[in-house]
Amino acid sequence: MKDLNQEQSTIQSRKVYRNLITGGAGFLGSHLADKLMNAGQEVICLDNYFTGRKSNLKQWIGHPKFELIRHDVTEPITLEVDRIWHLACPASPVHYQFNPIKTAKTSFLGTYNMLGLARRVGARILLASTSEVYGDPEIHPQPESYRGCVNTLGIRSCYDEGKRIAETLCFDYQRMHNTQIRIMRIFNTYGPRMLPEDGRVVSNFIVQALRGKELTIYGDGQQTRSFCYVDDLIEGMILLMNGVHPGPINVGNPKEFTILELAEIIRKKLNPNLKFTNKPLPQDDPLQRQPVIDLAEKELGWEPKTNLEDGLEKTIEWFKSKLTGEDF
Ligand code: NAD
Ligand code: UDP
């Protein structure tokens, strides 16, 4: 597997790119900004702060190679950039269902605007797509060739169908305008800087456990997910952008857990006396999810390095420091 430090020094020795990160103040976007800035790249982060926070980027504010712009990707913008990392879109079901019409607009219009920008300035664009394009999958685990099983009418559709049309737009820009595209299908990723009220399962369980509250298990907890630590994911993202394969490429950790298993691990780490409480399974909640990562291994030389126990330790330490700090 290629080492990220090697990768970063390759970026450094090759060229300093002008990188635009949409959604740069969010969870993944701010970690990507850190990696690119630490590699000596120029970075412009753009965000409307719906689920992102300026504090995620405070370490770079004032740096000569860094800029932060408040902007909504549903509106066009003119910038001179070489690379567009298009991450802007709420990722947690709680947030993308808050205003589903806005989520669909962000997915379609946001991607359309960023592809238009990429075309105008000749930039390469990477789309942060998702395992949600597979919907509630009938094939398990999921390879990129699987076309998915998505309900067009349900409460997750604004996001799932939004990402599907975003992928379609990328390929149409490639076919019509030769735009250089990279599509990454991201599976559940966790780590420091998730919002405490983010609503996703890892942050929910950690925050509930740290606050001494019952862990909320939706349904019977037998549904599965595969959890990737953020550093691994960002490494895969950079390799995909720098490589030649347009994707789509699955990036995620193939080790699969039931939600109940995840709850047990976090309870054991933080407070074995905590209770579980069952809540209804949300509509269209996928029952199973696990990536096939053969393509990422072959094309990018990528596989995850961080196991769940180690990734959770780092995430728990971060939440502990924040829950007692003034940022919360
Ligand atoms: P996040 O919610 O932390 O980050 C999204 C960022 O986009 C936030 O900073 C938000 O304020 C910004 N944003 C939202 N709508 C915007 C708009 N209209 N204009 C400008 N900015 C806007 O989520 P994340 O986990 O960092 O996800 C980043 C990307 O990765 C998303 O596109 C998401 O769909 C994708 N993804 C993430 C995961 C995961 O597990 N983290 C899984 C699959 C896909
Ligand atoms: N989930 C849960 N309790 C929570 C939050 C989520 O049991 O407090 C479940 C949810 O129903 C889903 C899984 O955990 O089956 C992952 O949910 P998340 O929102 O993290 O991501 P996604 O469903 O988009 O994969």
Side-chain angles (χ1 to χ4, degrees):
M1 188 199 320
K2 285 180 196 158
D3 182 72
L4 185 57
N5 293 331
Q6 275 174 3
E7 183 56 33
Q8 285 174 342
S9 54
T10 315
I11 301 174
Q12 258 169 332
S13 61
R14 201 186 304 146
K15 187 168 174 198
V16 175
Y17 291 111
R18 291 163 300 177
N19 295 276
L20 170 65
I21 307 176
T22 74
F27 163 50
L28 296 182
S30 62
H31 283 278
L32 174 63
D34 286 354
K35 295 283 181 210
L36 295 177
M37 286 298 295
N38 284 328
Q41 295 285 300
E42 287 181 20
V43 174
I44 302 173
C45 284
L46 178 162
D47 210 292
N48 70 351
Y49 304 122
F50 176 46
T51 50
R53 298 289 174 261
K54 264 188 205 163
S55 57
N56 287 337
L57 295 166
K58 62 177 185 282
Q59 61 282 20
W60 303 117
I61 289 172
H63 192 289
K65 287 188 171 173
F66 181 79
E67 282 176 68
L68 179 57
I69 303 174
R70 179 190 285 267
H71 181 79
D72 194 305
V73 288
T74 59
E75 301 292 336
I77 188 166
T78 305
L79 293 165
E80 290 298 324
V81 291
D82 307 303
R83 292 189 160 187
I84 302 173
W85 309 75
H86 181 39
L87 277 64
C89 185
S92 161
V94 173
H95 294 294
Y96 71 63
Q97 288 163 19
F98 173 74
N99 183 344
I101 298 171
K102 173 74 187 197
T103 300
K105 278 178 74 179
T106 294
S107 296
F108 178 77
L109 280 180
T111 306
Y112 171 75
N113 286 330
M114 289 307 127
L115 282 162
L117 176 63
R119 180 191 172 198
R120 272 195 304 281
V121 299
R124 183 179 294 179
I125 179 167
L126 180 146
L127 170 71
S129 186
T130 171
S131 53
E132 284 288 318
V133 299
Y134 302 124
D136 190 6
E138 307 122 314
I139 289 186
H140 193 70
Q142 295 81 49
E144 291 83 353
S145 55
Y146 176 50
R147 291 186 182 175
C149 175
V150 175
N151 175 6
T152 58
L153 310 176
I155 57 173
R156 295 176 83 100
S157 314
C158 58
Y159 182 75
D160 300 9
E161 295 292 357
K163 291 289 186 178
R164 287 169 69 96
I165 191 70
E167 289 195 4
T168 307
L169 271 177
C170 287
F171 271 89
D172 285 334
Y173 265 78
Q174 183 190 52
R175 279 186 286 260
M176 286 189 71
H177 304 302
N178 269 329
T179 306
Q180 288 188 55
I181 58 160
R182 303 286 184 270
I183 297 178
M184 180 175 189
R185 289 189 179 152
I186 303 173
F187 284 64
N188 298 61
T189 302
Y190 68 97
R193 299 191 191 151
M194 295 183 88
L195 294 173
E197 316 302 338
D198 178 271
R200 284 178 276 189
V201 68
V202 174
S203 49
N204 265 14
F205 286 173
I206 291 175
V207 172
Q208 286 162 350
L210 289 174
R211 289 178 173 158
K213 298 204 168 129
E214 297 176 342
L215 306 196
T216 50
I217 313 282
Y218 301 164
D220 61 7
Q222 291 308 311
Q223 69 272 34
T224 68
R225 294 293 186 273
S226 308
F227 301 101
C228 186
Y229 187 64
V230 61
D231 288 356
D232 289 337
L233 193 284
I234 298 300
E235 179 180 342
M237 191 179 278
I238 290 173
L239 289 168
L240 176 59
M241 180 63 110
N242 288 341
V244 292
H245 199 292
I249 296 189
N250 289 341
V251 179
N253 193 318
K255 184 101 178 58
E256 185 185 20
F257 294 86
T258 67
I259 295 307
L260 211 47
E261 283 170 338
L262 175 73
E264 292 287 6
I265 294 169
I266 292 175
R267 172 162 75 172
K268 200 167 140 219
K269 279 186 185 300
L270 285 173
N271 183 350
N273 299 321
L274 285 177
K275 294 202 165 40
F276 295 159
T277 178
N278 286 87
K279 302 230 168 176
L281 189 68
Q283 186 197 336
D284 292 336
D285 198 291
L287 293 183
Q288 49 186 1
R289 189 182 290 153
Q290 182 187 25
V292 174
I293 60 162
D294 296 357
L295 196 58
E297 286 175 354
K298 179 168 162 277
E299 293 294 332
L300 310 179
W302 179 89
E303 63 180 7
K305 295 175 190 152
T306 314
N307 66 37
L308 185 62
E309 292 276 344
D310 294 345
L312 285 177
E313 284 297 332
K314 294 183 196 178
T315 311
I316 288 168
E317 283 317 304
W318 184 83
F319 271 109
K320 268 187 188 162
S321 71
K322 287 293 164 187
L323 286 172
T324 51
E326 51 190 37
D327 283 2
F328 273 70

